[in-house]
Amino acid sequence: MIKLICSDIDGTLLPEGTAEINPEIFAVIRKLKEKDIIFAAASGRPYSSIVRLFEPVKNDIIFVSENGAYVSCRGYRMSEEVIDWKDVCEWVEEVRKIPGASLALDADGGLYSESTDQEFVDLVRLGYHSRLTIVEDVLAEERHINKISVYRKNDIEKVAEDMVPRWSKRLHCTIAGDIWLDFMNKESNKGHAIREIQKILKISPDETMVFGDNLNDLEMLAAATESYAVANAAEPVRKAAKHITDTNVNDGVLKVLRTLL
């Protein structure tokens, strides 16, 4: 019997960088709750963005934000991982030198950036509906940071090829879509977050179902016996998943949940 369902958001439940979620998901989540099945929204998005997206059911689900660095339910912090400020400072100085890149620090008060790229700003504020503060120097004030991200519209893979080999010994690094490269505390990933939820709620992997599409979902897929990749998922995710469902735009996740109900 399934007791916990965890789904990625961008590329899995909806198109990347949008708020175009099928409102039927809210009714499905309520029906799952009636059957004592818990739904968790898992994303690289900051907490503020996910809460707005799931506003109608915000008190009925668990939020796994910042790629697992921050997990909460009804305002209760279930788990949290932070990045050492010295690492943040060194990372920022490096990203500032990357042509065409914007940086984002994910803190308690939302996202902080120095970017003058209006397309980036619009994507974060209007697409993801995230709380974004533009400052002249993100290092002027030390903050409690859960995740740091590089945004580049083109060739994020090349940025990853350069940065990941050098940073992977200190931070957990993962490509999160076609335009994002995320860095978290070494312990942070969606799979670790799901296992923390399972531990707290005494739920086994055999009682867990997960859905994903990108490389930052691989650890989460490994935390559940019933793992699904949407049809538009990256090839490594499709290979790692036990099942394949329809694409995100064709409501692949909802189709499985309807059948489960």
Side-chain angles (χ1 to χ4, degrees), residues 90-257:
E90 184 177 337
W91 180 92
V92 167
E93 295 293 351
E94 181 173 327
V95 175
R96 283 170 172 168
K97 300 174 184 177
I98 301 175
S102 294
L103 61 86
L105 307 187
D106 201 330
D108 289 340
L111 295 176
Y112 292 83
S113 181
E114 304 167 344
S115 182
T116 57
D117 181 347
Q118 192 59 45
E119 188 171 355
F120 163 79
V121 173
D122 289 343
L123 173 65
V124 175
R125 287 179 174 166
L126 304 179
Y128 295 110
H129 292 264
S130 297
R131 187 182 301 117
L132 173 67
T133 303
I134 301 297
V135 295
E136 185 174 340
D137 179 7
V138 293
L139 301 180
E141 178 183 342
E142 184 173 343
R143 296 183 174 89
H144 192 79
I145 304 297
N146 299 115
K147 186 187 72 169
I148 48 184
S149 302
V150 182
Y151 161 89
R152 197 163 78 164
K153 186 176 180 180
N154 299 303
D155 299 324
I156 195 66
E157 294 85 358
K158 292 184 179 180
V159 178
E161 289 173 4
D162 178 56
M163 294 189 72
V164 171
R166 289 180 290 102
W167 282 95
S168 58
K169 293 182 180 180
R170 283 188 278 174
L171 300 175
H172 177 71
C173 317
T174 184
I175 290 179
D178 298 330
I179 53 178
W180 293 100
L181 178 61
D182 292 343
F183 300 78
M184 292 81 63
N185 180 288
K186 196 69 175 174
E187 299 297 320
S188 298
N189 61 67
K190 293 181 185 178
H192 177 75
I194 297 309
R195 289 188 176 91
E196 286 297 302
I197 294 171
Q198 290 169 334
K199 181 180 177 181
I200 292 170
L201 300 180
K202 296 179 173 56
I203 294 173
S204 72
D206 288 342
E207 297 168 319
T208 305
M209 177 183 290
V210 300
F211 299 85
D213 79 301
N214 221 311
L215 302 184
N216 61 335
D217 297 319
L218 286 172
E219 293 91 351
M220 181 170 70
L221 266 62
T225 300
E226 295 302 314
S227 59
Y228 285 80
V230 285
N232 55 285
E235 187 60 26
V237 179
R238 289 168 56 88
K239 289 182 178 180
K242 183 178 179 180
H243 310 283
I244 306 294
T245 186
D246 208 340
T247 63
N248 59 335
V249 295
N250 287 329
D251 292 328
V253 175
L254 269 174
K255 287 178 178 178
V256 176
L257 299 185

